[in-house]
Amino acid sequence: MDKRTLLILEYDKIIHELTLMTHSPLGRELCAALTPVSNLAEVQYRQAETDDAVKIILEKGVLPISGIHDIRPAVARARSQARLSCAELLRIGAFLRGVSRLRGSLPESYDPERILFGLLIQLQPLPEIEARLDEAIAGEEELHDRASAQLSSIRRRIRKAQNDVKDCLNRLVRSHGRSLQDQLVTLRGDRYVVPVKAEHRGDIPGIVHDTSASGATLFVEPLAVVELNNRIRELAGLEREEIDRILQELSALVATDADALRVNAELVARLDFAMAKGLLALKMKGQPPVLNDRGRINLRSARHPLIPADRVVPIDLELGTTFKTLVITGPNTGGKTVSLKTCGLLTLMAMAGLQIPTRDQSEISIFDEVLADIGDEQSIEQDLSTFSSHLRNIIRITTRARPKTLVLLDELGSGTDPSEGAALAIAILDYLRRKGCLTVATTHYKELKGYALRTPEVENACCEFDTDTLQPTYRLLIGVPGVSNAFVISQRLGLQPAIIEHARSLISEEEIRFEELIANVEKSRSEAGRLQLEARKLRDQAVEELQQHKILRDQLADKSRQVVEKARTEARALYGDALQEIEEMLTEIRQLQREDNLAQKHLLATEARRKIRTGLGRIEQEIGRATLRASGEALAEEEIRIGEHYSAPALGIVGKVIEGPDSRGNYILQSDAMRISVSADALRYPEAVADPSDKRHSRSRPGRKQDGLTMERHLAMNTEILLLGQTVEEATGNLDKFIDDAVLAGITSIRIVHGKGTGALRSAVHQKLKGDKRVKDFRLGSYGEGDSGVTLAELN
């Protein structure tokens, strides 16, 4: 891909934005090397990888890649039998822990066709090396005592010898206090010494290792500790030898799995690179483009990714369908160059595998080359004018032009005589068209408008200008040539009418009619666009209302099912009561049979039949009433009672009937402070309500009321508390009340969101939970649960 075009279209700034999204030097290296490619299959794979990354971020969050270093140089050194330093081994250990975290983020059930899951499954955790490095390496310049038994023994002996020296010197300090400058033991080199006054040099025999700047203090190693200091030095030498041996051993261990480490590094780089592409797509609100290799571009609501979101104006741009050359005209600062750059930059991004900031189903073609001449590159040193600098670039472009090439030309033919410049511009566009290139060019020359009108496969476009506000709208209109608007702008700004009329007289009548025709076309197009936008808004509003209606309908259907189910439950209860009464009657009948009382038996049988019919009738009535409520059918007048709650679906309210019916059969329905008159056929049951006259439903059961309160509290209780932005005092107070409410509601698991930050709030929360008897256990959230920004607690 042409490097100069990449710079002109500011592709390097997109790459900079991409590198900022990475979490490791491995991923940054891949991002920095990302360039557009011309192979359709390769671009499709890259786009699929980006789309998969976006889905994973939305489903589970960003993969845990932080804290991973580039270990490849260290692994290469280990393979060549070099001894690695503690710092290098420490980074390898951190890398292996990162690999284990990444591998552990793979879901138990996953789609093997997903690209990133395929990369995760290829990671090779090396638990043996990871455990050994964790056991041995304490820091960038230090090994743990447990790195080997020999090292632990040597250090133990060193510490004992050091304590012996200190004890000996402390005794000497106490006994020769007057001879010392300060009563302390210090080090010079690796030898323990005491500060002796120069005039008392003879009081403490020993070796002088240093003197103070004034010469008043001598740092003397007393003869009594020389041998002990020598012993410490010998042990320090043994320690260095043991450390070198351990480092060599660990380096050899790394070398044995160098290939696995190298593969892991490549996989981590690709995962970080893919995550960066996904994060950039979400930041830019990008969409995966529809790709083709037939030279067809169709951008819908395309936004330049480097212009702030609150300032960018989306454009629609089409190329390669019915025309292959697009000539954009219009005033300066009207958006012509931005449209040109947007087309080129989004094409490069798509070919690099990045999602583009457009509406969905935008189409991008894959090109062999993208060539651009945008901006003024005049040079005093090289004696190049604006025209010369443009022409040199155009010569380079025409030399490389061929089919499957996208050419972008800004201010074509400018910088020279207008008639010659226009002729040259037409010739260049015609040459590129015959070569089979797709071309987008901006210009001020009216001759190019006529060329676009009379030449096949060439189309006009303009950047819309509002003559009322004298401001560009930055919208690109395809199929409409631009108008200069010089006379309109001059008139609105107050130029004398005589001057404007004289200027008009200097232009041919044919040119004036042409400009007026174009102005009328643009005005009609603008009006049509406004009407189309209004129609689209009305359509979107209708679709939204239809969706809301569907949701309400589904909710009503669900509620209806609940009402019917409740009615059935109540009917079953009635049926059970009826069966119990029947059993009691049958028992009495059997008793009468034994007593041979025929008259009483006949009377009891008749009563039993009556009660059965009454019970069945009551069951059918309850089911009928519940079905009526569920189906939303109109209520009979006798079913409407003063003081009961009903709904008026047509008005979208629920309230209590407080008056009625009046002479017209209307009722007064009160909802909060609002009173409204509604007809009887507009009222419905809001939900299934048990008949208060039925005593079977009013019979109290032990614990029913308390259970109901607990259930209501449980349903209303939120299991998550947000403490973000609160002080420690506020957070602990709010957390205490939240735990109280959760315990009363019978909730056993809560989620506390305190954020990561400095960790002060998290520590305060944990301290609170540790001392709270209501808390059974707690832990930090794992990957996918909020990580260290969330604490999950179990309550007693």
Side-chain angles (χ1 to χ4, degrees), residues 437-458:
C437 302
L438 263 69
T439 307
V440 183
T442 68
T443 183
H444 284 287
Y445 295 136
K446 61 180 180 295
E447 290 87 350
L448 268 70
K449 304 175 190 176
Y451 165 74
L453 287 172
R454 65 176 179 268
T455 307
E457 297 185 328
V458 183

Side-chain angles (χ1 to χ4, degrees), residues 86-142:
C86 283
E88 289 173 312
L89 292 168
L90 184 68
R91 285 192 284 272
I92 292 173
F95 174 82
L96 289 173
R97 287 192 294 275
V99 169
S100 298
R101 281 198 310 272
L102 276 170
R103 187 65 172 78
S105 67
L106 185 68
E108 293 183 4
S109 58
Y110 63 91
D111 182 2
E113 299 299 321
R114 296 276 292 270
I115 295 175
L116 297 195
F117 287 160
L119 296 177
L120 285 171
I121 198 65
Q122 294 179 54
L123 288 171
Q124 306 175 49
L126 301 171
E128 296 82 5
I129 300 180
E130 181 185 339
R132 179 66 180 122
L133 292 176
D134 184 61
E135 177 187 47
I137 307 298
E140 292 197 348
E141 297 180 355
E142 185 182 1

Side-chain angles (χ1 to χ4, degrees), residues 429-504:
L429 289 179
D430 217 44
Y431 175 82
L432 295 173
R433 181 177 65 86
R434 292 196 306 271
K435 279 286 188 178
C437 302
L438 263 69
T439 307
V440 183
T442 68
T443 183
H444 284 287
Y445 295 136
K446 61 180 180 295
E447 290 87 350
L448 268 70
K449 304 175 190 176
Y451 165 74
L453 287 172
R454 65 176 179 268
T455 307
E457 297 185 328
V458 183
E459 185 60 88
N460 273 303
C462 71
C463 289
E464 188 179 45
F465 187 86
D466 191 337
T467 55
D468 294 329
T469 62
L470 301 183
Q471 294 292 329
T473 65
Y474 304 105
R475 290 178 59 238
L476 184 66
L477 305 178
I478 304 292
V480 181
V483 182
S484 66
N485 294 307
F487 295 152
V488 176
I489 294 172
S490 301
Q491 183 178 359
R492 288 188 178 278
L493 291 178
L495 187 65
Q496 290 87 335
I499 297 176
I500 296 174
E501 287 304 318
H502 181 60
R504 287 183 185 275

Side-chain angles (χ1 to χ4, degrees), residues 588-590 592-594 596-607 609:
E588 292 180 16
I589 289 171
R590 295 190 189 99
L592 290 172
Q593 283 179 335
R594 285 193 293 271
D596 199 20
N597 190 338
L598 293 178
Q600 187 66 23
K601 180 169 63 176
H602 178 72
L603 182 61
L604 197 56
T606 302
E607 180 65 17
R609 292 189 189 96

Side-chain angles (χ1 to χ4, degrees), residues 18-136:
L18 183 63
T19 57
L20 294 179
M21 300 293 169
T22 59
H23 293 82
S24 74
L26 300 168
R28 280 192 288 277
E29 185 178 300
L30 285 184
C31 289
L34 179 64
T35 55
V37 294
S38 302
N39 183 278
L40 178 60
E42 173 65 17
V43 175
Q44 287 173 334
Y45 177 82
R46 290 184 177 190
Q47 287 288 349
E49 184 179 69
T50 305
D51 193 48
D52 194 30
V54 170
K55 290 177 181 176
I56 286 180
I57 293 171
L58 294 176
E59 291 168 2
K60 294 179 62 63
V62 181
L63 293 176
I65 305 177
S66 57
I68 289 180
H69 304 275
D70 185 1
I71 63 166
R72 291 171 299 179
V75 172
R77 290 187 63 239
R79 175 170 265 173
S80 64
Q81 298 183 350
R83 185 174 67 234
L84 302 182
S85 66
C86 283
E88 289 173 312
L89 292 168
L90 184 68
R91 285 192 284 272
I92 292 173
F95 174 82
L96 289 173
R97 287 192 294 275
V99 169
S100 298
R101 281 198 310 272
L102 276 170
R103 187 65 172 78
S105 67
L106 185 68
E108 293 183 4
S109 58
Y110 63 91
D111 182 2
E113 299 299 321
R114 296 276 292 270
I115 295 175
L116 297 195
F117 287 160
L119 296 177
L120 285 171
I121 198 65
Q122 294 179 54
L123 288 171
Q124 306 175 49
L126 301 171
E128 296 82 5
I129 300 180
E130 181 185 339
R132 179 66 180 122
L133 292 176
D134 184 61
E135 177 187 47

Side-chain angles (χ1 to χ4, degrees), residues 352-379:
L354 302 175
Q355 293 190 359
I356 57 177
T358 62
R359 286 174 58 194
D360 59 340
Q361 298 303 307
S362 289
E363 199 166 4
I364 290 284
S365 177
I366 306 303
F367 296 96
D368 290 340
E369 278 199 285
V370 178
L371 303 172
D373 175 48
I374 300 175
D376 185 3
E377 298 184 10
Q378 62 178 332
S379 170

